Amino acid sequence: MTTTLFIVQLINGLQYGLLLFLIASGLTLVFGVMGILNLAHGSMFMIGAYLAWYFVEHTGSFGVSAVVSAIIALLLGILIERTLIRHLYRRNHLDQVLLTIGMIFVFNALQSILWGNDPLGVAVPELLSSSIPLTDILEYPVYRIFVAIFCVFIAIVMYYTINKTRLGMLIRAGESNREMVECLGIDISRLYTVVFAIGVMLAAVAGVIAAPMTSIVPGMGEHILIACFVVVVIGGMGSIKGAFIGALLVGLVDTFASVLVPQLSSMMIYILMAFILLLKPQGLFSS
Amino acid sequence: MKKNNKIINTILAGVTTLTLCTPATATETDPIKVGVMLPFSGVYGGLGEATRNGLKMALKEHAADLEGRTIEFIEMDTEARPDRAPEIASSLLNKSHADFIVGPVHSGVAMGMIKVLKDKDSIMIIPNAGANAATGPLCAPNIFRTSFSAWQPSYPMGKVALDAGYKKVVTMSWNYGFGKESLEAFEESFTAGGGDVVKKILVPFPKTEFQAYLSEIASIKPDAVFVFFAGGGAVKFVKDYDALGLKGKIPLLGSGFLTEGTLEAQGQAAEGILTTLHYADSLNNPTNNSFRQRYAENFGKPSDLYAVQGYDTGLMIANAVKSLQGDISDRKALISALENTTINSPRGDFTFSKAHNPIQNIYLREVVYGENEVIQLAAPALEDPARGCKM
Amino acid sequence: MLFNKRTERLFIWIFFPLALMMPLFLEQNTFYVSKLTTVMIFSLFVMSLDYLVGRCGLITLGHAMFYGLGGYIFVMIAPEYEAVNFWLYTLYICSIAAAIALLIGLLVLRTSGIYMIMITLAFAQMAFYYFSDSIEFGGNDGVFIYVKPETSLFGLSLFDLDNPIHFYYLCLLSLFNTMAFFKIIMRSRFGRVMDAIHENPDRTVALGYNVFFFKLISYTIASALGAYAGYLFTLQYGFVNPSMLSWTTSGTALVMSILGGMGSIYGAILGTLVYEGLHYSLEHLTEHWLLFMGALIILMVMVFKDGIAGYLEKLLEKRS
């Protein structure tokens, strides 16, 4: 492998990993703070992508579409938490699995009814549609670089929020001791609603920005969900830092494996996960 | 104990009702039963829907050919899941006693269906699934196909590549039956003429993260790239190929599915892609032009390849029923009628090979302003070699 | 008596006699017989999962790996065009599956909770991709089995696997035996220790039991039986496919188990029947049956918190 190719694959892997982080961060946040394993998290990614397509079709502007989709996702998150999720707090993991599987079915059916089963595409926004030449043949699309930068930006915002703001303090407190937070007079149910809605919004926003790079098809939610789980488990359930490192690891391993060991490439991220779990059963940075 | 009795009584009543519904023996005025085994949900849902529309349109338009008999459709959603195939096929065969069973879209499902239906009473007509085996090692008198074999669309592209002067080609597809068969067909004709497939990339199915592979192709710098992808994967691949700067620098050749049903989503990125297929929406012949218009009027959306294949299946059934004057009870005669029929398809007239696969033209198409324009005939009346078929 | 719970006995006395008589009523419709057979085979699989998750507390999302292995092991060891002995191969397949389970269990059972879910999923996915990307095993499209095993025992030919009615009764018998087998285990000393481990592993360790060993044995038994179910499924239509190993198969089985009522063992049969029944009736009504299925599942979680068996037990069990 030439140096150029190596660097290109490195960038590919990091960019894929950063996108995975954006989605996985919502999953791990919700689990860490609320103890809820939301299998329908992948569906939120799908909803983001479909909403992006819908609003781009009707407004022609990607920017407007992104903002509107994010707001809808936020509202949807609040709605789901209020009506369904809050019944799960005292229940065990299995009930959560069952309920969120039911939600997956419902969302998939709604997607089919609202938007049909044909593959859809969103054009890359004009501003970001050029490519940077790397070699005489290879160019790197500016949009992918934008996505990577955007994910890093979100990561920084999350870091700042969790470590430097009051909301972040509540999140950290809720992660370590739920009852104590309640005893201190904090309205824990409001906190949960906010956290869940943020989680949903993160996944949906990931879907929106991924839409121009991917094809929007039924089943895209479940496909990304599995990768997300691997990320979150490697990183440690509930740890955002873990999700970041885990996502980069998964992105890099998956990318390099596909060109170095193509026969094993689909298994690589699972081998990685099994390996890490056997060494550190709680993941790399368990909270 | 009262509760137990109540439950038992209800169940017994239900079972008794079931047993009283025994099927009467079929007569000539009974409807012809057409089982439809297609995906109506999930990724392939659109293809299933289009196939069904075409099928129904053909049978409605040719109702007069049915010699007074009506059609009863029994539709079942396969969800494109191979593990459900044997069960659903068994249902259509043993429970519904369908005369014809039309399906499926997905090759894996086809394998499961063939397992159950091979050499049985119902006539199985495949309106899409291209697995070579269906008209190859697993061929049978009661299995027909109105679509294509995996070999057919890809084989002629080898010669096209050679004629264009390409010597070194990278091939790429998903690592599953149909993908591999397509790449093998291209390789067969390409290497026979002196070409060299420098690398064959098999992506785990159904992965659509292509960045790493495309980067590798860029570093290899072949004369051209030949691929098979379909549906969502085709959309992503074409867009990624463009975004990575390969479009225009390394010619992209594909089995026709790369640009079927995907052009709108692919947008500008698809311009200039050459593909080979047994059909093109833009085929300028009276049958196709009329078909497209009628389909759009009936269903409010444009027709596509899958609708044509469904339509041709309907034509096939109507032709056979007509030639037998409505009496299809003699299966041997029915099979003979089906074997000898000519289908006046929007893709051009075609007949069936001994292995029951269409002998048809393959067209070379180029994407021009968002449409597949037919450049030339890549291969006239191409017959699949039906390797392994003992008929 | 073996089945000491009232609801258990009620279920057994309704289900099994009905199931025994079904083929007599449905003689004309081999389709229904086959469909019920498929349901029974899958409920055997769900039962093995139910024991593992509901009784032992070992939550796995990779159990379908053994379901698929049941079929693929048969493809691997059986000659292509020769009819082998069904009983002998049952022994082979269950033994090989048990050996694999032993190895995997050694690695997997050191984790718990969400991590165990994930690592079992990892192994299942690895197996899935192994068979899916393989050439020898037909890859994604699966493999056919052309010759079914014959069922002679001590030289006497017992029944014909190609006959749907014979096969139905074989599966029914297997289902009953499996149920009885699990019940025996559960009521034995081994079962009591497993209950203790489920309830409070630390205390059980303090009592001097080798908890890991007990977990390993349970995992191996359940996996071997899961493989047996997969083997039966493969024999029904002679077709193996990687989707048997997928996490969606595991997930569906989990849903059925929870629906029926986790840990009750007979709940597995109930859950599978209800789920499949709903699927069957809904898909004939509408193209968008998933919507109603999903809504029903959500409703069930909200209302039938302990599954159907749990609800029945609340109604019918004597207060102890």
Side-chain angles (χ1 to χ4, degrees):
Chain A
M1 191 188 276
T2 66
T3 331
T4 325
L5 188 58
F6 179 79
I7 295 178
V8 173
Q9 301 293 28
L10 194 67
I11 302 175
N12 287 336
L14 288 173
Q15 180 261 303
Y16 177 48
L18 284 167
L19 184 68
L20 273 180
F21 165 70
L22 189 59
I23 310 167
S25 60
L27 185 68
T28 204
L29 185 69
V30 166
F31 184 80
V33 177
M34 300 157 68
I36 299 281
L37 182 65
N38 179 15
L39 287 179
H41 193 73
S43 304
M44 305 301 150
F45 174 76
M46 171 191 79
I47 288 173
Y50 273 99
L51 283 174
W53 174 83
Y54 180 78
F55 287 110
V56 165
E57 281 285 298
H58 285 83
T59 67
S61 156
F62 185 76
V64 167
S65 173
V67 171
V68 174
S69 305
I71 295 175
I72 293 181
L74 195 69
L75 295 172
L76 186 66
I78 295 175
L79 178 70
I80 295 175
E81 197 275 336
R82 281 261 141 92
T83 53
L84 294 173
I85 304 290
R86 70 178 30 192
H87 295 274
L88 289 178
Y89 296 142
R90 294 180 214 292
R91 308 273 286 273
N92 56 33
H93 284 308
L94 286 174
D95 286 337
Q96 294 171 13
V97 166
L98 191 58
L99 183 92
T100 49
I101 286 182
M103 279 166 60
I104 293 178
F105 286 177
V106 169
F107 286 128
N108 281 346
L110 285 174
Q111 164 259 307
S112 177
I113 296 172
L114 289 172
W115 295 298
N117 293 322
D118 295 326
L120 303 170
V122 171
V124 176
E126 270 300 316
L127 207 62
L128 301 163
S129 58
S130 53
S131 295
I132 300 177
L134 288 178
T135 70
D136 55 340
I137 289 207
L138 199 58
E139 294 170 3
Y140 210 82
V142 167
Y143 187 73
R144 283 187 180 254
I145 299 180
F146 161 73
V147 166
I149 295 177
F150 181 80
C151 295
V152 172
F153 169 70
I154 295 287
I156 296 175
V157 167
M158 282 182 92
Y159 177 78
Y160 181 80
T161 311
I162 291 189
N163 288 317
K164 305 268 194 274
T165 68
R166 189 156 179 273
L167 173 65
M169 188 174 66
L170 288 174
I171 288 177
R172 277 180 288 138
E175 260 177 19
S176 43
N177 196 329
R178 213 162 296 158
E179 284 92 17
M180 196 49 118
V181 173
E182 269 180 308
C183 292
L184 289 172
I186 310 286
D187 184 353
I188 199 100
S189 72
R190 258 243 321 255
L191 177 67
Y192 282 179
T193 311
V194 168
V195 167
F196 190 80
I198 292 178
V200 167
M201 194 173 76
L202 283 169
V205 166
V208 169
I209 64 168
M213 294 192 302
T214 185
S215 70
I216 305 174
V217 283
M220 65 189 292
E222 284 71 83
H223 188 66
I224 207 82
L225 180 72
I226 270 263
C228 267
F229 268 134
V230 174
V231 165
V232 164
V233 167
I234 288 179
M237 301 288 295
S239 161
I240 301 217
K241 181 165 66 172
F244 189 78
I245 303 289
L248 291 181
L249 262 176
V250 169
L252 287 167
V253 166
D254 191 68
T255 302
F256 279 101
S258 17
V259 284
L260 292 173
V261 279
Q263 318 89 292
L264 290 177
S265 65
S266 24
M267 297 196 256
M268 262 339 265
I269 58 170
Y270 300 103
I271 295 176
L272 173 73
M273 175 165 93
F275 185 67
I276 291 186
L277 280 184
L278 292 170
L279 291 179
K280 291 201 90 186
Q282 307 275 58
L284 292 172
F285 300 95
S286 47
S287 47
Chain B
M1 289 321 284
K2 247 193 171 166
K3 218 174 246 184
N4 290 3
N5 279 335
K6 238 182 153 186
I7 301 172
I8 292 179
N9 283 338
T10 337
I11 297 175
L12 276 176
V15 170
T16 324
T17 324
L18 265 175
T19 60
L20 290 177
C21 305
T22 48
T25 45
T27 68
E28 268 148 53
T29 49
D30 283 348
I32 297 175
K33 292 195 189 165
V34 175
V36 179
M37 239 179 101
L38 293 169
F40 297 119
S41 56
V43 195
Y44 296 95
L47 281 64
E49 194 190 318
T51 312
R52 176 186 51 187
N53 289 347
L55 176 72
K56 286 190 169 174
M57 187 167 123
L59 287 169
K60 195 168 102 182
E61 287 174 356
H62 292 260
D65 290 347
L66 301 176
E67 308 288 334
R69 297 189 71 175
T70 54
I71 305 276
E72 180 191 326
F73 291 103
I74 308 142
E75 296 173 32
M76 305 204 69
D77 183 2
T78 62
E79 302 167 59
R81 280 176 52 186
D83 55 314
R84 295 207 65 214
E87 182 191 313
I88 299 180
S90 170
S91 158
L92 289 170
L93 176 71
N94 296 316
K95 175 179 159 220
S96 311
H97 304 285
D99 298 299
F100 298 95
I101 298 180
V102 175
V105 162
H106 185 274
S107 283
V109 174
M111 302 308 247
M113 273 174 82
I114 293 175
K115 187 76 183 27
V116 171
L117 299 174
K118 190 175 192 293
D119 297 315
K120 297 287 195 316
D121 190 55
S122 305
I123 309 289
M124 176 178 166
I125 309 181
I126 303 175
N128 189 65
N132 284 338
T135 51
L138 293 175
C139 70
N142 72 323
I143 298 178
F144 286 83
R145 178 147 61 188
T146 51
S147 52
F148 51 89
S149 65
W151 182 92
Q152 268 175 321
S154 297
Y155 181 79
M157 192 53 107
K159 183 162 181 299
V160 172
L162 289 165
D163 288 344
Y166 304 140
K167 291 275 180 340
K168 289 173 19 182
V169 168
V170 170
T171 60
M172 182 168 160
S173 181
W174 280 311
N175 186 13
Y176 79 131
F178 193 88
K180 289 192 280 195
E181 286 172 356
S182 300
L183 297 187
E184 276 157 18
F186 170 82
E187 199 172 329
E188 190 186 324
S189 59
F190 187 62
T191 48
D196 182 23
V197 174
V198 292
K199 185 150 184 149
K200 179 150 102 178
I201 302 177
L202 288 172
V203 179
F205 180 74
K207 183 171 172 181
T208 52
E209 262 303 308
F210 299 123
Q211 278 296 96
Y213 307 106
L214 290 171
S215 308
E216 204 188 342
I217 290 179
S219 77
I220 295 175
K221 293 194 217 172
D223 298 326
V225 173
F226 174 79
V227 303
F228 163 79
F229 286 108
V235 172
K236 184 137 200 292
F237 180 83
V238 167
K239 284 171 92 166
D240 284 352
Y241 197 85
D242 179 23
L244 223 63
L246 295 172
K247 173 169 176 271
K249 300 206 195 81
I250 304 181
L252 182 57
L253 313 170
S255 167
F257 304 95
L258 190 66
T259 53
E260 280 301 307
T262 55
L263 286 172
E264 202 180 323
Q266 287 162 338
Q268 264 293 316
E271 292 294 307
I273 297 180
L274 287 172
T275 55
T276 40
L277 197 66
H278 53 294
Y279 177 72
D281 289 326
S282 64
L283 260 180
N284 195 2
N285 65 57
T287 321
N288 191 35
N289 293 333
S290 168
F291 168 77
R292 301 203 66 204
Q293 196 187 1
R294 287 175 354 250
Y295 186 92
E297 278 166 14
N298 272 310
F299 301 106
K301 45 160 57 168
S303 66
D304 60 19
L305 165 71
Y306 307 100
V308 170
Q309 291 171 167
Y311 182 77
D312 290 346
T313 308
L315 286 183
M316 187 183 179
I317 295 176
N319 286 356
V321 172
K322 179 170 182 192
S323 73
L324 293 171
Q325 276 109 20
D327 181 4
I328 55 171
S329 52
D330 179 357
R331 291 306 197 216
K332 273 216 157 102
L334 177 59
I335 288 174
S336 180
L338 290 166
E339 280 174 342
N340 293 312
T341 189
T342 304
I343 309 288
N344 302 116
S345 164
R347 67 181 102 165
D349 292 352
F350 70 86
T351 54
F352 291 98
S353 65
K354 285 223 345 242
H356 295 175
N357 198 57
I359 304 176
Q360 56 189 339
N361 296 333
I362 307 291
Y363 304 99
L364 177 64
R365 312 133 13 122
E366 182 181 348
V367 179
V368 177
Y369 291 132
E371 285 252 338
N372 280 310
E373 292 292 333
V374 178
I375 307 286
Q376 66 193 52
L377 198 57
L382 185 67
E383 182 176 340
D384 176 275
R387 296 174 180 129
C389 178
K390 298 192 186 76
M391 288 210 301
Chain C
M1 61 201 143
L2 181 61
F3 297 104
N4 54 347
K5 286 210 270 199
R6 225 162 146 220
T7 39
E8 256 172 2
R9 291 202 299 277
L10 180 67
F11 174 80
I12 291 173
W13 279 111
I14 297 179
F15 176 77
F16 284 100
L18 266 176
L20 271 167
M21 294 192 297
M22 272 301 177
L24 303 171
F25 288 130
L26 299 174
E27 187 69 63
Q28 296 270 17
N29 277 309
T30 53
F31 165 70
Y32 281 114
V33 171
S34 296
K35 179 99 179 97
L36 281 170
T37 311
T38 313
V39 171
M40 284 197 295
I41 293 174
F42 202 70
S43 52
L44 209 161
F45 173 66
V46 176
M47 203 184 275
S48 67
L49 180 65
D50 189 33
Y51 173 71
L52 211 50
V53 181
R55 262 345 260 220
C56 305
L58 301 169
I59 309 179
T60 159
L61 205 54
H63 202 58
M65 174 169 84
F66 293 101
Y67 188 66
L69 275 174
Y72 277 106
I73 294 175
F74 181 77
V75 169
M76 273 192 255
I77 61 177
E80 210 177 334
Y81 294 112
E82 205 186 295
V84 298
N85 186 287
F86 171 77
W87 309 106
L88 193 61
Y89 271 71
T90 303
L91 189 65
Y92 287 161
I93 288 171
C94 290
S95 311
I96 298 177
I100 297 175
L102 206 65
L103 284 171
I104 293 185
L106 281 170
L107 299 169
V108 156
L109 292 168
R110 301 200 288 154
T111 62
S112 63
I114 207 86
Y115 297 97
M116 183 172 197
I117 296 181
M118 289 286 107
I119 198 165
T120 48
L121 176 65
F123 277 105
Q125 286 293 97
M126 282 192 257
F128 173 79
Y129 283 115
Y130 175 76
F131 289 109
S132 187
D133 291 342
S134 70
I135 308 174
E136 320 86 66
F137 296 113
N140 206 263
D141 294 330
V143 195
F144 285 128
I145 294 170
Y146 291 103
V147 185
K148 285 194 191 170
E150 49 84 20
T151 59
S152 58
L153 205 55
F154 311 117
L156 279 170
S157 179
L158 287 176
F159 46 85
D160 176 19
L161 287 180
D162 265 315
N163 182 324
I165 311 252
H166 288 186
F167 193 67
Y168 174 91
Y169 282 117
L170 172 68
C171 296
L172 182 61
L173 187 66
S174 303
L175 189 63
F176 183 79
N177 286 345
T178 309
M179 193 169 158
F181 177 67
F182 276 125
K183 197 66 188 172
I184 294 173
I185 295 184
M186 277 154 57
R187 294 193 66 190
S188 70
R189 199 160 155 259
F190 179 87
R192 280 189 228 285
V193 176
M194 280 315 299
D195 282 342
I197 294 175
H198 187 190
E199 207 162 313
N200 196 330
D202 296 321
R203 202 187 267 177
T204 322
V205 170
L207 283 170
Y209 285 102
N210 185 345
V211 164
F212 187 79
F213 175 76
F214 278 88
K215 282 189 188 174
L216 190 62
I217 299 296
S218 293
Y219 186 75
T220 308
I221 293 176
S223 302
L225 283 166
Y228 178 63
Y231 172 53
L232 285 175
F233 176 80
T234 306
L235 290 181
Q236 183 174 25
Y237 290 113
F239 183 54
V240 199
N241 184 271
S243 64
M244 283 171 78
L245 299 143
S246 84
W247 69 288
T248 46
T249 306
S250 293
T252 310
L254 209 57
V255 167
M256 291 174 180
S257 171
I258 300 173
L259 267 179
M262 277 226 124
S264 57
I265 301 298
Y266 71 91
I269 306 180
L270 262 175
T272 313
L273 275 170
V274 169
Y275 185 94
E276 285 293 338
L278 278 173
H279 186 192
Y280 184 74
S281 40
L282 282 176
E283 75 173 348
H284 285 273
L285 287 175
T286 163
E287 231 166 86
H288 303 290
W289 55 271
L290 259 182
L291 184 65
F292 296 101
M293 182 65 97
L296 268 158
I297 292 178
I298 294 177
L299 198 69
M300 285 221 161
V301 173
M302 310 279 242
V303 175
F304 289 111
K305 294 199 176 108
D306 297 307
I308 301 175
Y311 182 70
L312 285 175
E313 269 166 42
K314 256 197 295 208
L315 280 182
L316 298 170
E317 282 302 319
K318 294 195 183 97
R319 272 176 263 271
S320 51

